[in-house]
Amino acid sequence: MHLPVPRGDLSRELANALLCNPSGEHAAYLATVATGRLASASDVLDDGDLQLSLFMLYELHYRGFAGVDDRWEWNPGLISLRTQIEEAFEQALREAAGPVPSVEPSSSEVAQALFALAASDAGPSVSKFIQRKANAAQAREFLILKSIYQLKEADPHTWAIPKLEGRAKAAMVEIQADEYGNGHLPRMHSELFRQTMRGVGLRDDFGAYIDRIPAVTLAAVNMISLFGMHRRHRGAITGHLALYEMTSSIPQAAYARGFRRLGYESAVTDYFDEHVEADAVHEQIAGRDLAGGLAEDEPELVPDILFGAQAAAAVDALAGEQYLDAWEAGRSALLAGAEAEVGAGAVA
């Protein structure tokens, strides 16, 4: 993908540095800029400069950027910079997630706690809006907002596989194998989402709309990378994935109905239809074998499992509230300037 358009001093200096040869001089200056940005940030989860910078730092460990030297990936200065931002980000996530309940470290008790959290979700329902009210432009915006995660779906959670063992590892592999289409490219969930984007007239290359993605959406994606890439967060990443699987099947059915209401059929709806069936199975594996299995193997991780799940619910609720506030007011949920791009697709 291309380097994003900067959203402040930190992302600007980071982008400029990445276009140069890796050096300690650039990274040292970036640390100074980051210190100032973090000191002035009032809401880390909704700070475009910080979240875009963190996204760029994480993306170096995925597919990288056009024109950027791959040696930046493990540059000590950038790792230090990333850690600096991550500390503030993690604190913001813990505040958003709130206190975690005390739960016995058994598979059944942990799964029950996660299912209860999923059932208690009272956040804004983007899926119901798409099903019942969204117009064609809003439906395309929804796909753009999802694309920054869905076009590499499974990759951030896959970081956890080598950090797990036993029952939890087996469960994670089973879920992820399905996400990757069990080795069949056309059935990979990210490929199905590309098919959906093409079907409504949108670009399907990862990062094509990065300059239109709001900060809180980036925060939701960055959270998965934070959890997945750090061994100390292996509990949080399992809780995150478990909650995602437990809260997916019903909304996916609603999304499918919404796109059909707008006149779209397969192949646009294949992605959603696939998740209705797959996630109904995954939720049990994720709750009882992945999260529950990890809890029994490493009881001290139960609070982290619940933190990951609660953080996922909290950040997704913040994002959903932003989207619905914009759509209900007749505004775009994307960053300024996106309307012309989004309106280009034709309704089937």
Side-chain angles (χ1 to χ4, degrees), residues 70-110:
D70 284 341
R71 289 177 295 174
W72 276 114
E73 178 182 3
W74 292 109
N75 178 274
L78 289 196
I79 299 299
S80 178
L81 172 65
R82 197 187 79 196
T83 300
Q84 191 177 357
I85 302 172
E86 284 177 334
E87 289 175 354
F89 184 39
E90 181 179 340
Q91 180 60 37
L93 289 173
R94 291 192 180 280
E95 291 173 0
V100 299
S102 177
V103 176
E104 290 295 316
S106 71
S107 175
S108 59
E109 291 297 318
V110 169

Side-chain angles (χ1 to χ4, degrees), residues 5 26 50 77 104 133 173 204 211 218 245 249 274 311 320 329:
V5 174
H26 288 296
L50 287 173
E104 290 295 316
K133 300 174 65 176
V173 169
D204 69 344
D211 298 325
L218 293 177
E245 298 297 338
S249 185
E274 167 71 16

Side-chain angles (χ1 to χ4, degrees), residues 149 157 220 224 239-248 279 312 316:
Y149 167 65
H157 289 109
I224 316 176
H240 185 287
L241 180 57
L243 191 82
Y244 261 32
E245 298 297 338
M246 290 175 179
T247 57
S248 176
D279 292 346
D316 281 359

Side-chain angles (χ1 to χ4, degrees), residues 200-261:
V200 300
L202 293 171
R203 291 178 58 180
D204 69 344
D205 47 318
F206 178 75
Y209 297 97
I210 182 61
D211 298 325
R212 307 309 188 195
I213 302 296
V216 71
T217 310
L218 293 177
V221 177
N222 287 337
M223 171 173 51
I224 316 176
S225 293
L226 170 68
F227 292 164
M229 293 175 68
H230 291 271
R231 185 176 183 278
R232 66 186 178 88
H233 286 311
R234 62 193 182 281
I237 192 65
T238 60
H240 185 287
L241 180 57
L243 191 82
Y244 261 32
E245 298 297 338
M246 290 175 179
T247 57
S248 176
S249 185
I250 293 175
Q252 299 295 346
Y255 294 139
R257 287 191 288 269
F259 277 88
R260 289 192 175 98
R261 174 180 59 82

